[in-house]
Amino acid sequence: MTTPALVAFDLDDTLAPSKGLISDRIARLLIALLQRGEVAIISGGNEQQFRSQVVARLAAVDAAALSRLHLLPTCGTRYLRHDGADFALVYAHDLSSDEKDAALTALREEAERLGLWESEPWGDILEDRGSQITFSALGQKAPRDAKHGWDPDGSKRAALRDAVAARLPGLEVRSGGSTSIDITRAGIDKAYGMQRLAELTGIPLASMLFYGDRLDEGGNDYPVLALGVPSIAVDGWEDTADKLEQLLASL
């Protein structure tokens, strides 16, 4: 394997359990990677999730190493870099108030029409993430087992995505995690985020390596693979850790 100049990751179910903290093992591997080169994380999660799930677990890492960590929350609609003191915003493609209102209304109405609006969710179903509106069918705090069992074949998400997309022709509507639908500005997905990362770092896409759990066609990591970024499919954070150890041994 040619040594990648930058290693990128999805977050939930790739580096960490959904909405969970990265493990001590993943933290050690990320630190080892940061000693060797550039690392990026791109996910549908919001900035606070990145900070709590990952950054807080890297508290012992020095500023020089953190300067090599690229954070792209909400599918790359935002980009943060460490400025020596903290992670600072480089860009954000926030939705307008009208776009947010239209997205929130369409998600609720179409979910209710399709029988996908839960009456007793675990936390909020709809979330305004600034540059992304997210629908979580069972609520933001749903347990992992419930989430993975809700739509194993993706048909519920596909039906809701198609119904909502028909009402929002000016926005990007796509399936996110195991129970979610994400809405951003048109043309902005993980492929957009990776392209912007290549532009801002000067690292060609072909010199990157991406790990994700949803690289299947229709999965939210697929746009990265379709873009031509060398990619490795994983099945949970433990599988990522095993494959990262193999990568580090080859560097």
Side-chain angles (χ1 to χ4, degrees):
M1 175 187 294
T2 303
T3 300
L6 181 147
V7 182
F9 302 90
D10 173 47
L11 179 51
D12 283 346
D13 294 320
T14 296
L15 283 178
S18 181
K19 300 292 198 305
L21 305 181
I22 61 170
S23 67
D24 289 343
R25 184 183 178 197
I26 287 289
R28 288 194 300 270
L29 292 168
L30 288 178
I31 291 168
L33 272 178
L34 287 167
Q35 303 305 320
R36 292 165 169 80
E38 307 292 314
V39 175
I41 302 173
I42 181 167
S43 171
N46 62 26
E47 179 181 333
Q48 184 52 46
Q49 286 175 243
F50 276 57
R51 289 182 179 275
S52 61
Q53 289 178 255
V54 180
V55 176
R57 302 282 287 140
L58 303 177
V61 180
D62 62 39
L66 289 176
S67 71
R68 294 189 286 274
L69 179 59
H70 309 258
L71 302 180
L72 295 102
T74 50
C75 295
T77 58
R78 289 173 174 256
Y79 175 45
L80 298 97
R81 290 290 304 275
H82 202 273
D83 62 6
D86 195 2
F87 282 92
L89 191 65
V90 176
Y91 72 69
H93 297 295
D94 288 347
L95 297 167
S96 69
S97 295
D98 287 346
E99 289 170 329
K100 291 178 183 180
D101 289 345
L104 291 165
T105 298
L107 282 167
R108 173 145 197 163
E109 290 181 353
E110 293 304 323
E112 289 177 338
R113 183 180 66 82
L114 292 168
L116 301 177
W117 187 267
E118 291 291 326
S119 59
E120 297 182 3
W122 287 276
D124 294 335
I125 291 176
L126 296 175
E127 183 184 4
D128 177 357
R129 297 179 175 178
S131 52
Q132 178 176 292
I133 298 296
T134 295
F135 166 91
S136 297
L138 303 180
Q140 289 291 330
K141 299 178 181 179
R144 286 187 286 275
D145 289 347
K147 290 170 66 173
H148 287 300
W150 182 74
D151 185 27
D153 65 355
S155 60
K156 293 178 182 178
R157 281 168 291 160
L160 181 57
R161 179 199 62 216
D162 292 347
V164 171
R167 293 179 52 168
L168 303 173
L171 297 176
E172 188 82 23
V173 184
R174 59 186 174 277
S175 296
S178 54
T179 65
S180 64
I181 299 293
D182 295 327
I183 299 177
T184 61
R185 288 273 171 84
I188 296 181
D189 56 13
K190 287 186 179 180
Y192 171 86
M194 295 300 288
Q195 287 176 314
R196 290 291 285 137
L197 186 61
E199 293 168 6
L200 293 168
T201 62
I203 298 172
L205 294 169
S207 297
M208 299 181 182
L209 180 63
F210 176 75
Y211 291 78
D213 71 308
R214 295 287 312 283
L215 285 165
D216 54 295
E217 190 166 357
N220 64 347
D221 294 323
Y222 180 75
V224 180
L225 177 65
L227 187 62
V229 178
S231 300
I232 295 176
V234 297
D235 183 17
W237 73 264
E238 298 95 335
D239 188 33
T240 302
D242 291 342
K243 289 173 178 174
L244 267 183
E245 286 176 349
Q246 296 172 16
L247 174 65
L248 284 164
S250 71
L251 297 181

